[in-house]
Amino acid sequence: MPLFVEEEPVFPESSCGVGPAKTLTMEEQRIVGGTEAVKNSWPGIVALKKNGTFICGGSLIARNKILTAAHCVAAIPQREVKLLTVELGIHSLLPSKKAGVITKKVRRMTRHRRFNPRTFFNDIAILTLESNVDYKSTISPVCLPSANSNADQYADKDATIIGWGTLIEGGFQSAVLQQVTVQLMTNAKCQSFYAGKDKIFDHMMCAAAPGKDSCQGDSGGPLLVQPSPGSPWIQTGIVSWGIGCARPEHPGVFIRVASFLNWIRRNMRS
């Protein structure tokens, strides 16, 4: 089962939600921009590949389960699941930098049945690996939010996005894992930016910062918050969609993980 943090996480070999002690604040990043993550400082991140080519990020939620976005695998028919692999303990996408990386084949992909590729409604999926992964310092699961999380619990709080997406809109993909701090906002505020364009559903959440955002290639990866200094990092969102990258009039949109806890639990049993 995935780990849901309410007070102290309990885990036999490794606590969930391992991450850096702190990340750069938004104010610091306005000077230096997004930064390369410290190698293996986010042991819950994974890279999803098809035929050896990177397609999306994802996160480890149990020994054989990966959480990602449905649109990452929406165009992949079931007969091609055998072409999917997940790399864990990974920092660089370069073939020459594979020391310590574990590669697992995907046995099954489960997209939300009501996923809509036009509106990104229910943009969530779980991948089942062919075998369990052993937890260690470089590979351990993310923490998922508790069931009593309310919709705007983290509004106006800092959150961290991690991934290998392009560094600027229309630019080149990063070869190494990047991290950037953004600020969460209420859905009402987010909808005001997208008024007349797109619907921000209750199971979505938004975040932004001047010149900071997720971008192409970050899809499926985690949006994480650290409720208090030194506490485990909690995956509150999944990178889903947006208009462009880091455009001031269009915040990034994420799937709200807390809205899908029952769906995740059901699909953890399969």
Side-chain angles (χ1 to χ4, degrees):
M1 293 291 289
L3 296 174
F4 299 88
V5 170
E6 293 185 2
E7 293 180 356
E8 291 297 319
V10 177
F11 199 72
E13 292 125 305
S14 172
S15 296
C16 70
V18 174
K22 69 181 294 290
T23 58
L24 294 178
T25 66
M26 284 185 10
E27 291 297 329
E28 290 168 327
Q29 287 194 125
R30 287 175 187 165
I31 299 171
V32 301
T35 58
E36 178 180 345
V38 174
K39 185 177 180 181
N40 298 131
S41 60
W42 299 103
I45 187 73
V46 307
L48 174 61
K49 295 187 174 183
K50 181 184 178 185
N51 266 339
T53 300
F54 174 81
I55 58 173
C56 271
S59 53
L60 182 67
I61 58 173
R63 291 185 185 278
N64 69 337
K65 301 289 183 180
I66 303 299
L67 190 65
T68 190
H71 78 263
C72 288
V73 292
I76 300 174
Q78 290 293 336
R79 66 178 181 275
E80 293 185 4
V81 172
K82 61 185 178 182
L83 302 178
L84 295 177
T85 56
V86 168
E87 293 187 351
L88 307 100
I90 181 172
H91 177 70
S92 173
L93 296 178
L94 297 176
S96 60
K97 304 287 187 179
K98 293 300 182 184
V101 174
I102 301 297
T103 300
K104 293 284 187 179
K105 292 182 178 179
V106 175
R107 179 165 57 88
R108 182 172 63 250
M109 62 179 181
T110 306
R111 296 184 294 261
H112 197 290
R113 291 182 179 179
R114 296 183 63 201
F115 167 62
N116 184 320
R118 184 180 63 83
T119 63
F120 290 88
F121 188 80
N122 293 325
D123 187 17
I124 189 170
I126 288 178
L127 307 178
T128 302
L129 305 180
E130 65 170 357
S131 61
N132 289 350
V133 64
D134 293 326
Y135 296 142
K136 51 185 178 179
S137 62
T138 58
I139 301 173
S140 63
V142 298
C143 295
L144 301 185
S146 61
N148 59 6
S149 299
N150 61 63
D152 292 322
Q153 178 178 354
Y154 296 114
D156 301 322
K157 303 291 186 183
D158 283 357
T160 299
I161 309 167
I162 52 178
W164 293 272
T166 57
L167 300 178
I168 59 172
E169 185 176 336
F172 294 100
Q173 183 176 306
S174 175
V176 295
L177 185 66
Q178 299 285 312
Q179 63 184 44
V180 68
T181 302
V182 291
Q183 191 173 68
L184 294 166
M185 65 181 67
T186 66
N187 277 25
K189 180 177 180 180
C190 186
Q191 187 64 77
S192 69
F193 285 99
Y194 284 97
K197 296 183 180 71
D198 298 279
K199 170 68 174 175
I200 304 300
F201 296 97
D202 289 344
H203 67 264
M204 297 176 179
M205 62 194 307
C206 302
K212 314 298 172 189
D213 197 3
S214 54
C215 206
Q216 291 85 9
D218 288 318
S219 291
L223 172 79
L224 303 116
V225 298
Q226 189 177 37
S228 59
S231 67
W233 290 82
I234 298 173
Q235 182 176 347
T236 57
I238 302 169
V239 179
S240 182
W241 64 277
I243 297 178
C245 303
R247 296 184 185 181
E249 70 276 19
H250 293 126
V253 186
F254 306 79
I255 288 300
R256 188 185 300 275
V257 175
S259 298
F260 291 91
L261 294 180
N262 288 336
W263 183 87
I264 292 171
R265 286 191 180 101
R266 286 196 304 272
N267 286 284
M268 292 296 288
R269 303 188 192 105
S270 59

